[in-house]
Amino acid sequence: MAGRNSENAQTRKPLAKRPRARRLPAAEAARIEAIFARLAEANPEPKGELLYTNPFTLLVAVVLSAQATDAGVNKATPALFAIADTPEKMVALGEDRVREAIKTIGLFRTKAKNVVALSQLLIERHGGEVPQDRDALTALPGVGRKTANVVLNIAFHLPTIAVDTHIFRISNRLPLAKGATPEAVEKGLEAVVPEKYLLHAHHWLILHGRYVCKARKPECARCILYDLCKFKEKTA
């Protein structure tokens, strides 16, 4: 992965300690282990679907993807990143030109403002580099906990779980970890997902929710987790 952060691991501030693993009944622990074993076998090296070239462009792409599809973001960002793939270049480009470049993406006016503002703060606070720290990331305009977790996981290979609508649905549906909020689900998953699967867990669940375990019509007939799923409304 390209970018100034690629060899900056020695300056990484550690994440908060992982919640203590829940002591599950043996049968439930085996079921969860089997779920992730199957997902891992089907897709050993899952990848996010947003296009990016370095940690900065990944951060921008994830910010732009809020309330938008990855496919829609990917149509707009290659031209933008071709001329502005660093915070310095993005600030120089300016809000008006960024807004024009991303006008096909929902909420593009607010997002253009945030992208330029976060780029300026990266220059002022972090020497133009994307920080490898959740609190520093969430202090940037337009960056929430989910966005920070995606960047930490994909750019810096940290075992974070970014709970989007797909993961929230699947975690409550299978279930893996039930929760009323994304952060509750995140902490629940961190406590039950076997450590060897944590790095890729959110990718597996997002992709499964996006393409198989869909919100309105889950495609249970082709689900590799069918016999491990306790969802009462699953289809035959």
Side-chain angles (χ1 to χ4, degrees), residues 59 66 224 226 233:
L59 173 61
I224 62 173
Y226 184 86
E233 298 176 32

Side-chain angles (χ1 to χ4, degrees), residues 32-178:
I32 292 176
E33 168 74 28
I35 285 172
F36 285 98
R38 289 186 193 180
L39 292 171
E41 183 178 6
N43 188 1
E45 294 292 333
K47 305 294 182 184
E49 296 184 324
L50 287 170
L51 300 176
Y52 68 98
T53 59
N54 58 34
F56 172 68
T57 56
L58 173 64
L59 173 61
V60 172
V62 181
V63 168
L64 296 179
S65 71
Q67 299 182 53
T69 66
D70 288 0
V73 172
N74 287 342
K75 291 179 181 179
T77 52
L80 174 63
F81 294 157
I83 56 176
D85 61 353
T86 68
E88 294 83 359
K89 291 177 183 178
M90 195 68 74
V91 170
L93 193 62
E95 187 177 329
D96 288 345
R97 292 178 66 188
V98 173
R99 185 168 57 244
E100 180 65 22
I102 65 170
K103 64 183 180 182
T104 57
I105 301 173
L107 305 175
F108 69 94
R109 292 182 178 85
T110 299
K111 290 176 180 178
K113 182 178 181 179
N114 285 338
V115 165
V116 174
L118 72 83
S119 298
Q120 184 63 49
L121 288 180
L122 287 176
I123 296 168
E124 294 174 1
R125 297 178 181 177
H126 305 289
E129 296 187 350
V130 176
Q132 302 180 42
D133 172 65
R134 185 187 287 127
D135 290 340
L137 286 168
T138 56
L140 300 171
V143 180
R145 187 179 181 91
K146 183 188 77 172
T147 296
N149 282 343
V150 171
V151 173
L152 292 172
N153 182 270
I154 297 177
F156 303 119
H157 311 294
L158 297 178
T160 55
I161 296 179
V163 179
D164 70 347
T165 56
H166 298 301
I167 292 183
F168 185 82
R169 179 178 69 254
I170 289 176
S171 186
N172 279 286
R173 181 182 277 180
L174 277 170
L176 290 167
K178 292 186 175 181

Side-chain angles (χ1 to χ4, degrees), residues 1-18:
M1 183 181 300
R4 291 172 291 183
N5 299 75
S6 57
E7 296 181 0
N8 197 33
Q10 68 273 16
T11 64
R12 179 185 302 154
K13 182 179 177 181
L15 290 172
K17 188 176 180 180
R18 178 187 176 183

